[in-house]
Amino acid sequence: MGADKPLVVQYFTSLGGFLTGHFGNSTQSGAPVATLLADALPHTLILAISAIGVALIVAVLVAFLATLPGLGAIGSFFRGLPSFMVSLPGFWIAILLIQFFSFQLGWVRVIEPGSVEGLILPTLTLSVPMAAPLIQVLIRSIDETQSRPFVQAVRARGASESWIFWRTVLRNSLLPTLTMAGLLFGELVGGAVVTETVFGRTGLGYMVAQAVANRDTPVLLAVVLIAATSYIIINLVVDLLYPVLDPRLRAGSPKRRAAATEERTVRS
């Protein structure tokens, strides 16, 4: 393992290995860490993509009901829902879902489930706390967008509130939510430790829990590196998507693009 070499030599040897994809061997199993990561990463990516997808759908629907005029107490309920959702512990949500859908109703198996069946409850567990900040950011952005003159002009022409929301308001309110979704997805790539441990999924989160328990340093270093790299790449992709959603960022004068960029930064 090179532990007998000077610390500086160990550092640069490890750094060179990281750059070339050689993370060493696990101190617990002796298997190459790269092999362990290759086996676990796809499971975590599938879970992260499904969870962020469900969270985005829930966020849009709740934000629509929370900002729809004339709902009164119902709208206030949906506005306060994110604070409740974010306060729910992940392991408690997982246990409730297992108890209700698996043990009581028998709809989803948690013992030897299929590939799709084993993804349902973990996805629901992750999507609840993930949807909360997305809802909060989206509601705030929608409130700002609805006060803009162009929305008032569309409303004055007799358009329904549903048409205004889905055709006008939502697209102009997505940029801060997209930023938040990128941050949350970057965190999930590092592994949903609690969720994967509760459901026994062989992903990066479960690998991290086992590595911490066994003090398997090479595995932990590799997961941290992958999580940091994925975080940077995902946020770069999110920034590149901004011009797709906001035409002001891809056309017009430099002053107009600068103003739109400043507005996007402030709103994010």
Side-chain angles (χ1 to χ4, degrees):
M1 298 181 64
D4 58 328
K5 298 179 181 179
L7 185 61
V8 175
V9 176
Q10 294 184 45
Y11 172 76
F12 283 103
T13 300
S14 299
L15 184 61
F18 290 161
L19 295 176
T20 57
H22 299 286
F23 303 104
N25 296 329
S26 170
T27 58
Q28 177 66 21
S29 63
V33 176
T35 302
L36 298 177
L37 292 176
D39 294 336
L41 184 58
H43 298 282
T44 297
L45 285 178
I46 293 174
L47 177 60
I49 293 173
S50 60
I52 196 69
V54 173
L56 284 171
I57 294 174
V58 172
V60 171
L61 293 178
V62 173
F64 170 69
L65 294 175
T67 57
L68 191 64
L71 290 184
I74 298 178
S76 301
F77 167 79
F78 284 107
R79 284 183 177 271
L81 191 60
S83 300
F84 172 73
M85 294 170 63
V86 78
S87 66
L88 299 176
F91 70 91
W92 185 71
I93 298 175
I95 293 174
L96 287 182
L97 291 177
I98 292 173
Q99 179 67 28
F100 184 71
F101 289 105
S102 297
F103 297 158
Q104 297 293 333
L105 300 178
W107 290 355
V108 182
R109 294 178 299 173
V110 292
I111 301 176
E112 298 183 355
S115 57
V116 177
E117 189 178 25
L119 192 64
I120 297 176
L121 296 186
T123 298
L124 295 177
T125 300
L126 284 177
S127 62
V128 171
M130 285 181 60
L134 295 177
I135 295 171
Q136 290 177 328
V137 172
L138 187 56
I139 288 177
R140 183 165 58 248
S141 182
I142 289 173
D143 288 339
E144 294 176 359
T145 303
Q146 286 182 338
S147 63
R148 299 294 179 87
F150 68 89
V151 177
Q152 303 300 328
V154 175
R155 184 177 287 111
R157 293 178 181 178
S160 64
E161 293 297 332
S162 298
W163 194 96
I164 294 174
F165 179 85
W166 296 108
R167 297 294 186 90
T168 305
V169 174
L170 182 60
R171 184 173 182 177
N172 289 275
S173 305
L174 279 179
L175 294 185
T177 308
L178 185 63
T179 301
M180 179 63 68
L183 297 175
L184 294 173
F185 186 75
E187 294 176 0
L188 281 184
V189 172
V193 179
V194 174
T195 302
E196 291 185 346
T197 301
V198 171
F199 290 97
R201 289 181 57 85
T202 56
L204 290 183
Y206 183 78
M207 182 186 297
V208 168
Q210 295 299 313
V212 170
N214 298 317
R215 299 182 181 181
D216 199 342
T217 304
V219 173
L220 289 176
L221 290 176
V223 172
V224 168
L225 179 66
I226 288 180
T229 304
S230 302
Y231 198 85
I232 294 173
I233 293 176
I234 291 170
N235 281 275
L236 174 62
V237 172
V238 169
D239 286 341
L240 294 177
L241 285 176
Y242 279 134
V244 178
L245 297 175
D246 193 344
R248 296 175 300 174
L249 299 177
R250 64 175 183 263
S253 64
K255 291 184 178 180
R256 186 179 180 184
R257 290 198 299 269
T261 303
E262 182 180 357
E263 179 185 352
R264 172 177 60 84
T265 303
V266 172
R267 294 174 65 185
S268 300

